Amino acid sequence: MPVVSPETLIGLQQRADYVRNLCILAHVDHGKTSLTDSLIATNGIISPKSAGKVRYLDSRPDEQLRGITMESSAISLYFSMLRRSNGEDSPSQQQEYLINLIDSPGHIDFSSEVSTASRLCDGAVVLVDAVEGVCSQTVTVLRQTWIEHLKPLLVINKMDRLITELKMSPGEAYIHLSRLLEQVNAVVGSFSLGERMEEDLKWREKMEERVAAGASKATERAEKETSSANKDSNTENGDNLASGNTIMDFEEKDDDENIYFAPEKNNVIFSSAIDGWAFTVRQFAGLYEKKLNIKRATLEKVLWGDYYLDPKTKRVLGKKHLKGRAVKPMFVQLVLETVWAVYEATIGRGDGKGDPAMTTKILSSLSINLPPYILRSKDTRTILTSIFAAWLPLSTAVLVSVIEYIPSPPVAQAARFPSIIDASPGGEHVDSNIREAVTSFRSQKSEPIVAYVSKMVAIPESQLPQNKRRAGHMSSEEAREMARKKRTEIARKQALSNEEINSNNIDGITLGLTNTTIGDEAHNGDSETAEEVEEDPEHLIGFARLYSGTLSVGDEIYVLPPKYSPANPDAHPGPSKTTITALYLMMGRSLEVLTSVPAGVVFGVAGLEGHILKSGTLCSQATGGVNLAGLTMGSPPIVRVALEPENPSDLDKMINGLKLLVQSDPAAEYEVLESGEHVIVTAGELHLERCLKDLRERFARCEIQVGEAIVPYRETIVSAAEMAPPKNKDLPRGTVIGVIASKQLAIRIRVRRLPAAVTEYIDKNSAATRRLYSERRAEEEARKTGGQAPSDSSEQEDDEGVATNGTSILSLAEFRRELEQAFQEVKAEREIWVDVINRIAAFGPRRVGPNVLIDATKDGLCRRFLQDTDHTATKSDDLPNTTTDQSPSPRDISDKITYAFQLATAQGPLCHEPMQGVAVFLEEVTYTPSPDLPHSTSENLGRMTSEVIKIIRDSIRQGFLDWSPRLLLAMYSCEIQASTEVLGRVYGVITRRRGRILSESLKEGTPFFTILSVLPVAESFGFSDEIRKRTSGAASPQLIFHGFEMLDEDPFWVPFTEEDLEDLGETADRENVAKRYMDRVRKRKGLYVTGRKLVERAEKQKTLKR
C-alpha cells in the first residue's frame, strides 16, 4: 500500500466521528508489538513481509535487544473501508478513518505506562496468548480497562501454536478456546461482582440509617400524642413509611451481559500475528452466507457455541436435537478445519513438508491467485503467509472490528466522563461549562479547553521535526555545507594516520607538535564543532489527549497540577500559566508538526517544561477546572539504589539528569536521604537497568556508580517461647520507666504488640489518617488565628491519598467505626483493648503508620486523635491545669511525647527501619519540681524538651527489645509458567533464594504449569536472569510487590539451653538469616555491627588460594 501522507491524517482529525483512539494491552510476550506491525504495514510505513520482525514501535535499542516493549508509543493510522451508513438496504460508501493507536508494555515493571496510556483512549485491544492463557498482567490490564470504562476488544493471539506446538486437532482446539474464553469472562465478571457487592453494602447502610431515622421520628411523634391508640397507629405508619422508602429506593441495575466477551457479539478476534492472519465470526458468516443459504445475522449467532450443521438438510441444530449423532460443532467444521487444512497443506504436521497438490486445491476453492514465484518458493512459511494475507488479512479483521465496536470520541466521552469527573478531586465544584463541554464533546475554538497530559516524553533535539531534514529536500547551501564538512573530516583523518606512521620518529613528533601549534585556531574550532555536534540536549514533550475545545500553537493555557482541587483552587501548588510552543502528531519513531489540534485527538505538546513533573491537566481557566491526573499507578516503586558520579565534578550533571529522568518516567522517583545520598526509586530490576542506561547515555551523559540496592524492611515484636526473661522483674514485660537527668520527670510506658487485624486495617487506610491529621492541624490553626485557616496541606495530602489508593477516603466516623470493629475481633487479652479507640493519641511513623500511641494516664495528658474536635477541645478545657508561673505541668510536654513516638517508630532499634504493629501505652507521667533549679516555666520546658524526647524514644526502644523482635521482609509475588522439563530447575532457583511455593497448577490442554510463589525482595536481584539461564529461556518470572511478611527468627537468638548448646555449640553453627539481614542494613547505614570481625585467621591469609 502507498505511504499515507501526514496531511491526510491531519485532515481526518477534524472529523471526530471517524476517529478511534485505542491502546493495545496484554501480558508480556503475548504479541502486542507484532500485531501493531501488521497494522502499521497497511499504511506503507513498513513492508508487510517484515511485519512482526521490525517491531517498529520499539524504537529503543534495548527494546530491540530484549524483545520486549518498555515505553508506550503512539502512531496515527489511516484506514478506508466500504460501509453502509443507513442499514443493510442502503448502498455501501467509501469511508475514511483515523486510528490513533498506542502500544503499551506488558512487563510488570512498566505497568505505569499502561495506566498513563489507558486514560487517553476510548477502547482497548486486549491480547491473550492462546496457549499461556490468562496471566498476571492480563488480569491487571483487564482491571485497568474496567476502571477507566474502556470498551475492550479481545484478541486470542498465537493460534498457530495450537497447531505447530501442541499438535491439537480442530475439535481439541475448540474446547481449549472455549475454556480460555470462560477464564477471561470470569475475570471480568469478578470486577462486576465486586462493584455490585460494594454498591449493595453502601445501599444497605444507607437504608439502615433511613430506617433508624424514621423510627426515631415516629417515636417522637408518638410521645407527643396523648392517646395510646394514636401512638400505636403513628408508630406503625412510621415503620411502614420507613420500609416503604427502603423498597422504593432499591434500584436493580441492568443485566451485565454486555460486559462479557462473546464471538457472536463481534468483540472476539482469533489471530496469529506472526503469520499475519486473523478472523472474526462475522467474516466467516459473510463467506458462508451464500454457500449455506442462511442469513448472515443468523450465522453470526450460531457459528460459535453448541450449534451443529445437519449434513443432509443443511439446517442448524441445537445440542438436544442431535439424537446421538457424532456431528462436529459449526465452528470446528466451517472455521477451524479450514484453517488447519491450510497449515497442513503448506508446512505439514510440524515436519516442514507440505502438500503442493492440496495447496493448489485450497487456492482454487478460496479463489486465491498467488504469483508462480511464491508457489515455487522453498520457504513453506512464505506460501503460508501469502495465502493468509490474501484470504484472512490480520489488519482487515482487527481494524474493521475496531471501527465497528470501539466508540468514537463523542460517544465515548458522553458515556465515560460523567463518572470520571465525579470521581476526580473536588468533582462537585467543577464548572458546569467545563463539565458540559467535555461530556457533550464541544470542539469549537470558543469552548473551554480541557486536555490531559499522561506523561512527559524526552526527545533529543536532533529528532524534533524542525531540526530534521526531509529526504530529497536539500538546498544548494546545505549541500555545499555538507561537502565542506566531509572534506574537513577526511583531511583530519589523513593527518591522524600520518601522525601514527611517524610516531616512532622524534622528528615526526616535533613536526606534529609544530603543525598543531601553527594550526591551533583551526583545530580548536573543529574540536568545538565536534563537541557541539556531540551535545544533543533532551526536550520534554507532553503525551496528551484533548477532550474539548481546539488547542493552537501560541495559546496561553493553565496547567493544573495533580493535587489541584477546584474546591480550593488557590492552594499551593496552584495552577501555572504557560504558552504552547509546538504541537506534534505522534508517528511512532517520528513527529509531525501541527498548528492546531481539535478535540478527540491524541497529540504531543511542547512548552510544558518546568510546569508538569509527570502528569497534569491543561485547562483554559484556573478556577473550576477538572483534575484528570488522579491515576492509579499499579504497584508502587520499591527498588532503591544510591548513585554517585565516578568523577565528583559531574555531580551537577547527575542531579540535572535525575530530574529529567523523573519527569520522563512515570514510575521513577528521586530523593536525597538525610545522609546526602542521591537515591533513585524504580519499580523493578529491569526498570532500574533502563533508568540507569537513560541516565548515562541521554540525561546525565557521565559515568555513574551504582551502590547496593536499598531494600525496605519493617521491625515488629512477637511473644515467643524462647524469649529472655523481662529486664526488670518487678515490672510487666515491655514496661519501662524513664527518668530524665534532673530527676524532675519520670515517664512510665508499656510496649505491646498490636493485633494483626488492627495493623492491617491501619496500614490499608493510611490515606484516611493522613486526611484526619491535616484537618486537625487546619482546625488548630483556625482556632489560633480566630478564623479559617488555609487548607493547602490538607488538600494536597487528601488528593495524594486518593491518587495512591484509587479509592475514596473514609470519613472520621467510618474510620472510627471500622477500627473499633477490628479491635472487637481480637480474642486474646480483650480487656486490654476495651475502649482503646477513645484513648488513641497518635499514629506513627509520619502520623499515618501502623503503630499507635495510647494515652492510658488517669488525667488524659495527650489529645484524643479519633474524637470530634469540639468534644476534644471541651474535654481538654475541663482538665485540671496545674500550670503556674512557677512550675510546668505534665500536660505541657504532651506534644513532646507524640514527637518522640514518631521518632521511635520511624527508626526501630534493630536497624533503624520503621516499626509496624506496635502499641505504646503511656501509663504515667510524674513531675517533681526541684528547688535548686530555676522556676520559670519557659526555662524549665526549654531545658527539658530534648531530655524528654530522648528518654521517651529510648524507653520505647527498650520496651520493644523486651519482647522477641522480628524483621518483616518486603516480598514479591512471583508467577512463572514452565513446562514439565524445567519444573525442577525452577523449584531449585526459588528454594535457593529463600522463596516459598504457594501453588502449582497445570493448564488444561497444555504441558505448562503455572507456579505461584513469594520471594524476598532482598533475594530477587538477578533472579530473572538466573531463571532464564537455568531453563535455557523456557521460563520467565513476573514479580509483583506483595507486601511485608515476617521472618520468624530472632536476630539476637543465641543457643542457651543445654540441648541447643550441645547441638549447635556456643557460636551457633546454624546461620541466623535475620541477623544477616539486620547486619547488612546496619553496615550500610554506618551503625555498629555486633560481633563483626575485620580479620579472621590472619596468619592463614597467605595460603587461602591453596
Side-chain angles (χ1 to χ4, degrees):
M1 183 178 177
V3 178
V4 179
S5 64
E7 291 74 16
T8 304
L9 300 175
I10 295 171
L12 289 174
Q13 289 182 347
Q14 307 296 329
R15 305 168 62 191
D17 291 331
Y18 295 89
V19 175
R20 299 292 185 271
N21 299 311
L22 71 142
C23 52
I24 299 184
L25 311 175
H27 187 77
V28 65
D29 289 334
H30 279 200
K32 297 181 301 298
T33 308
S34 299
L35 177 73
T36 307
D37 275 1
S38 298
L39 303 183
I40 294 174
T42 61
N43 280 221
I45 299 174
I46 61 175
S47 170
K49 294 181 180 179
S50 59
K53 303 170 187 174
V54 174
R55 303 177 63 87
Y56 182 77
L57 292 184
D58 287 351
S59 55
R60 297 171 55 95
D62 48 355
E63 287 180 325
Q64 294 285 346
L65 182 64
R66 291 181 178 270
I68 63 172
T69 305
M70 297 185 184
E71 288 183 350
S72 55
S73 304
I75 191 168
S76 296
L77 301 177
Y78 166 87
F79 185 68
S80 175
M81 63 178 289
L82 291 172
R83 196 176 184 188
R84 294 183 177 93
S85 57
N86 298 316
E88 296 184 357
D89 298 334
S90 60
S92 299
Q93 297 179 354
Q94 189 79 14
Q95 295 181 352
E96 299 177 332
Y97 292 89
L98 174 67
I99 297 176
N100 296 315
L101 180 68
I102 302 178
D103 182 25
S104 62
H107 198 280
I108 184 62
D109 284 6
F110 310 108
S111 59
S112 59
E113 297 277 351
V114 178
S115 302
T116 57
S118 59
R119 177 63 63 91
L120 302 178
C121 300
D122 303 319
V125 176
V126 180
L127 272 73
V128 178
D129 192 317
V131 176
E132 295 182 5
V134 177
C135 299
S136 58
Q137 275 298 97
T138 310
V139 179
T140 303
V141 299
L142 285 172
R143 182 182 292 110
Q144 192 66 36
T145 60
W146 180 267
I147 293 172
E148 292 293 335
H149 306 287
L150 302 180
K151 204 73 178 291
L153 188 65
L154 180 66
V155 176
I156 300 178
N157 195 27
K158 300 191 179 182
M159 289 274 291
D160 57 291
R161 296 183 65 189
L162 301 179
I163 307 171
T164 58
E165 291 184 22
L166 302 185
K167 313 293 184 187
M168 286 185 175
S169 66
E172 294 171 342
Y174 171 69
I175 296 173
H176 178 79
L177 293 173
S178 300
R179 288 173 179 167
L180 176 58
L181 199 57
E182 289 175 359
Q183 291 175 7
V184 177
N185 284 331
V187 173
V188 178
S190 65
F191 302 149
S192 175
L193 182 60
E195 191 176 273
R196 285 280 188 96
M197 292 177 66
E198 185 177 355
E199 291 177 355
D200 182 65
L201 180 61
K202 291 180 179 179
W203 179 82
R204 288 178 183 276
E205 291 177 354
K206 187 176 180 180
M207 291 304 102
E208 288 175 1
E209 292 176 0
R210 289 193 177 186
V211 170
S216 62
K217 289 181 180 179
T219 305
E220 291 177 1
R221 285 198 303 268
E223 291 177 353
K224 294 179 182 179
E225 297 293 337
T226 56
S227 170
S228 60
N230 291 338
K231 289 181 183 179
D232 295 338
S233 62
N234 286 335
T235 305
E236 291 175 2
N237 291 335
D239 293 339
N240 292 335
L241 182 61
S243 62
N245 288 338
T246 303
I247 296 173
M248 289 175 63
D249 289 343
F250 179 77
E251 293 182 4
E252 183 67 30
K253 268 195 166 185
D254 296 336
D255 191 12
D256 58 355
E257 184 182 358
N258 294 327
I259 68 172
Y260 295 111
F261 297 105
E264 61 269 18
K265 296 178 183 176
N266 199 34
N267 61 359
V268 178
I269 301 173
F270 304 90
S271 76
S272 172
I274 196 66
D275 290 337
W277 60 266
F279 66 86
T280 61
V281 167
R282 178 171 295 182
Q283 275 182 276
F284 272 92
L287 293 174
Y288 286 107
E289 180 181 6
K290 296 181 179 179
K291 188 177 293 185
L292 298 177
N293 196 19
I294 302 175
K295 290 185 178 180
R296 181 172 180 172
T298 305
L299 272 178
E300 289 178 10
K301 296 178 182 179
V302 300
L303 264 181
W304 177 268
D306 293 332
Y307 296 99
Y308 306 85
L309 184 66
D310 192 333
K312 296 181 181 179
T313 62
K314 300 297 182 182
R315 296 180 58 187
V316 178
L317 304 176
K319 194 172 184 179
K320 60 181 179 180
H321 298 293
L322 287 180
K323 299 178 181 179
R325 287 182 290 177
V327 182
K328 300 175 183 177
M330 292 181 66
F331 190 77
V332 175
Q333 185 179 357
L334 301 180
V335 180
L336 294 184
E337 286 187 349
T338 312
V339 175
W340 259 242
V342 175
Y343 272 90
E344 187 174 347
T346 52
I347 64 175
R349 295 183 176 271
D351 54 0
K353 297 179 180 179
D355 187 352
M358 188 177 178
T359 303
T360 306
K361 184 178 179 182
I362 291 175
L363 290 175
S364 62
S365 64
L366 296 176
S367 302
I368 296 175
N369 294 320
L370 292 183
Y373 72 89
I374 293 179
L375 294 174
R376 291 194 300 266
S377 174
K378 294 182 179 180
D379 185 5
T380 55
R381 186 158 292 276
T382 302
I383 303 174
L384 174 73
T385 54
S386 300
I387 293 174
F388 278 121
W391 179 37
L392 298 173
L394 183 144
S395 57
T396 302
V398 174
L399 294 179
V400 169
S401 299
V402 163
I403 289 170
E404 293 182 347
Y405 189 74
I406 291 180
S408 61
V411 177
Q413 288 184 200
R416 292 177 58 209
F417 267 79
S419 58
I420 291 177
I421 293 176
D422 292 338
S424 64
E428 63 275 7
H429 298 281
V430 174
D431 190 351
S432 58
N433 291 333
I434 292 180
R435 182 186 292 267
E436 184 66 23
V438 172
T439 56
S440 301
F441 194 80
R442 296 178 179 174
S443 58
Q444 292 79 10
K445 183 68 177 176
S446 59
E447 295 295 336
I449 296 174
V450 176
Y452 169 60
V453 181
S454 66
K455 68 172 184 175
M456 302 295 287
V457 183
I459 305 291
E461 185 173 349
S462 60
Q463 298 297 321
L464 294 176
Q466 54 267 34
N467 299 327
K468 292 179 68 176
R469 177 183 56 80
R470 289 185 178 273
H473 291 76
M474 184 184 296
S475 62
S476 58
E477 291 80 5
E478 290 176 341
R480 283 194 293 270
E481 181 69 19
M482 178 174 287
R484 188 188 66 80
K485 288 182 179 180
K486 288 286 185 183
R487 287 194 298 270
T488 305
E489 184 67 23
I490 293 171
R492 186 186 305 162
K493 289 182 179 180
Q494 289 177 350
L496 289 174
S497 62
N498 293 334
E499 288 178 6
E500 290 177 0
I501 293 172
N502 300 324
S503 60
N504 295 328
N505 192 340
I506 297 176
D507 296 337
I509 295 174
T510 307
L511 181 62
L513 292 173
T514 306
N515 292 337
T516 303
T517 305
I518 293 171
D520 192 21
E521 294 179 0
H523 182 72
N524 290 340
D526 292 339
S527 64
E528 289 175 3
T529 306
E531 289 179 1
E532 289 178 1
V533 171
E534 289 178 2
E535 287 293 332
D536 193 5
E538 301 280 341
H539 292 270
L540 294 174
I541 306 297
F543 190 25
R545 157 85 183 265
L546 189 63
Y547 294 104
S548 67
T550 299
L551 188 64
S552 303
V553 177
D555 286 352
E556 291 188 348
I557 198 163
Y558 289 96
V559 179
L560 310 183
K563 296 178 181 179
Y564 168 85
S565 175
N568 192 8
D570 298 327
H572 182 77
S576 59
K577 199 170 186 178
T578 185
T579 302
I580 303 300
T581 58
L583 296 171
Y584 300 104
L585 176 68
M586 314 289 280
M587 290 299 294
R589 301 184 181 185
S590 61
L591 301 172
E592 297 292 339
V593 177
L594 299 173
T595 56
S596 64
V597 173
V601 174
V602 177
F603 63 100
V605 54
L608 305 179
E609 294 186 54
H611 297 277
I612 290 182
L613 178 60
K614 291 180 181 293
S615 63
T617 308
L618 304 182
C619 193
S620 54
Q621 59 188 59
T623 58
V626 56
N627 182 9
L628 300 175
L631 274 177
T632 305
M633 288 299 175
S635 57
I638 190 173
V639 178
R640 301 172 177 234
V641 291
L643 308 177
E644 63 177 2
E646 288 188 359
N647 186 356
S649 62
D650 291 334
L651 181 61
D652 291 337
K653 280 186 179 180
M654 188 189 76
I655 293 175
N656 294 331
L658 282 169
K659 292 178 180 178
L660 274 173
L661 174 67
V662 167
Q663 284 184 284
S664 62
D665 195 310
E669 296 177 4
Y670 163 59
E671 57 187 26
V672 181
L673 302 183
E674 295 178 356
S675 59
E677 291 179 294
H678 298 273
V679 172
I680 182 174
V681 191
T682 59
E685 190 176 5
L686 183 60
H687 186 210
L688 174 63
E689 291 180 18
R690 192 195 76 176
C691 290
L692 293 177
K693 180 179 175 63
D694 286 347
L695 197 60
R696 291 188 179 108
E697 298 178 0
R698 298 176 58 189
F699 300 126
R701 299 177 186 273
C702 64
E703 289 301 319
I704 294 174
Q705 292 181 347
V706 183
E708 187 179 352
I710 304 173
V711 179
Y713 293 89
R714 297 291 183 267
E715 302 179 15
T716 189
I717 53 177
V718 296
S719 178
E722 68 274 8
M723 282 190 303
K727 296 179 181 179
N728 192 338
K729 297 181 180 180
D730 298 332
L731 297 174
R733 185 180 294 275
T735 303
V736 180
I737 299 177
V739 183
I740 63 175
S742 63
K743 310 295 183 183
Q744 286 184 288
L745 194 67
I747 300 172
R748 172 172 170 154
I749 64 168
R750 186 174 185 184
V751 177
R752 287 181 176 273
R753 185 189 180 191
L754 200 62
V758 178
T759 304
E760 183 180 355
Y761 177 79
I762 297 174
D763 193 26
K764 183 180 177 181
N765 293 279
S766 59
T769 54
R770 179 184 293 112
R771 187 180 71 172
L772 294 177
Y773 178 83
S774 302
E775 290 176 353
R776 290 295 168 83
R777 186 172 59 180
E779 290 168 359
E780 287 179 0
E781 292 177 358
R783 191 180 294 111
K784 290 178 182 178
T785 57
Q788 293 184 354
S791 57
D792 54 348
S793 59
S794 64
E795 287 291 339
Q796 294 173 33
E797 295 179 347
D798 186 345
D799 294 342
E800 183 181 352
V802 174
T804 303
N805 297 329
T807 56
S808 58
I809 302 177
L810 300 176
S811 64
L812 173 61
E814 293 172 337
F815 179 76
R816 177 188 170 92
R817 182 179 66 252
E818 295 182 9
L819 182 60
E820 192 170 6
Q821 291 176 358
F823 274 114
Q824 290 175 357
E825 293 175 359
V826 179
K827 296 181 179 178
E829 299 180 336
R830 299 190 63 174
E831 65 278 357
I832 300 173
W833 311 107
V834 173
D835 198 36
V836 75
I837 196 77
N838 295 319
R839 295 180 291 161
I840 294 178
F843 295 91
R846 298 182 179 178
R847 308 181 302 273
V848 297
N851 306 284
V852 293
L853 174 64
I854 299 170
D855 185 2
T857 58
K858 295 180 180 179
D859 298 333
L861 300 180
C862 300
R863 185 176 181 181
R864 305 297 194 261
F865 185 79
L866 293 180
Q867 288 186 356
D868 294 335
T869 309
D870 298 336
H871 178 73
T872 307
T874 304
K875 185 172 181 180
S876 60
D877 294 339
D878 295 340
L879 288 174
N881 187 0
T882 58
T883 304
T884 63
D885 294 337
Q886 303 300 324
S887 61
S889 163
R891 283 201 297 119
D892 295 331
I893 62 168
S894 61
D895 56 336
K896 284 76 176 176
I897 296 173
T898 306
Y899 180 70
F901 168 75
Q902 302 293 342
L903 290 179
T905 53
Q907 293 185 338
L910 299 183
C911 50
H912 282 196
E913 290 291 316
M915 293 184 186
Q916 179 169 317
V918 176
V920 178
F921 288 81
L922 180 65
E923 295 186 343
E924 188 178 359
V925 179
T926 307
Y927 176 75
T928 306
S930 175
D932 301 333
L933 295 173
H935 298 295
S936 172
T937 302
S938 59
E939 290 182 8
N940 277 347
L941 285 176
R943 179 178 51 80
M944 288 192 301
T945 295
S946 60
E947 293 186 59
V948 170
I949 293 174
K950 182 177 182 299
I951 200 66
I952 294 176
R953 184 193 63 187
D954 294 344
S955 298
I956 293 175
R957 291 179 177 176
Q958 292 176 22
F960 182 96
L961 294 175
D962 211 9
W963 298 87
S964 184
R966 293 288 188 271
L967 278 179
L968 294 172
L969 307 182
M971 305 294 288
Y972 274 136
S973 173
C974 175
E975 178 181 320
I976 304 176
Q977 282 200 354
S979 60
T980 313
E981 293 79 11
V982 299
L983 204 59
R985 300 174 193 172
V986 171
Y987 277 19
V989 176
I990 294 174
T991 306
R992 188 163 52 252
R993 290 177 174 265
R994 301 190 59 79
R996 190 176 76 256
I997 305 295
L998 298 179
S999 67
E1000 171 196 314
S1001 58
L1002 176 65
K1003 284 188 173 291
E1004 294 185 17
T1006 69
F1008 294 101
F1009 285 85
T1010 300
I1011 305 164
L1012 295 178
S1013 62
V1014 288
L1015 183 77
V1017 175
E1019 306 287 349
S1020 66
F1021 301 101
F1023 175 71
S1024 299
D1025 291 337
E1026 186 178 0
I1027 284 282
R1028 282 192 287 268
K1029 288 177 183 177
R1030 295 284 182 181
T1031 62
S1032 301
S1036 181
Q1038 287 281 301
L1039 301 175
I1040 307 172
F1041 180 61
H1042 182 65
F1044 289 90
E1045 189 174 295
M1046 183 189 299
L1047 176 61
D1048 196 11
E1049 191 171 2
D1050 192 337
F1052 299 116
W1053 181 87
V1054 291
F1056 62 91
T1057 64
E1058 292 183 3
E1059 295 179 358
D1060 292 339
L1061 288 170
E1062 183 178 350
D1063 294 341
L1064 303 174
E1066 293 183 358
T1067 58
D1069 297 336
R1070 185 184 65 188
E1071 183 190 18
N1072 191 328
V1073 180
K1075 188 176 188 306
R1076 172 160 61 86
Y1077 287 144
M1078 181 184 73
D1079 289 348
R1080 185 190 300 173
V1081 179
R1082 293 184 70 90
K1083 181 181 177 182
R1084 178 177 57 81
K1085 293 185 176 182
L1087 304 174
Y1088 176 70
V1089 179
T1090 307
R1092 180 186 174 194
K1093 296 181 180 180
L1094 298 178
V1095 177
E1096 284 192 29
R1097 301 185 181 93
E1099 70 279 2
K1100 294 186 178 181
Q1101 290 295 312
K1102 294 182 180 180
T1103 60
L1104 281 178
K1105 292 183 180 180
R1106 296 182 181 176

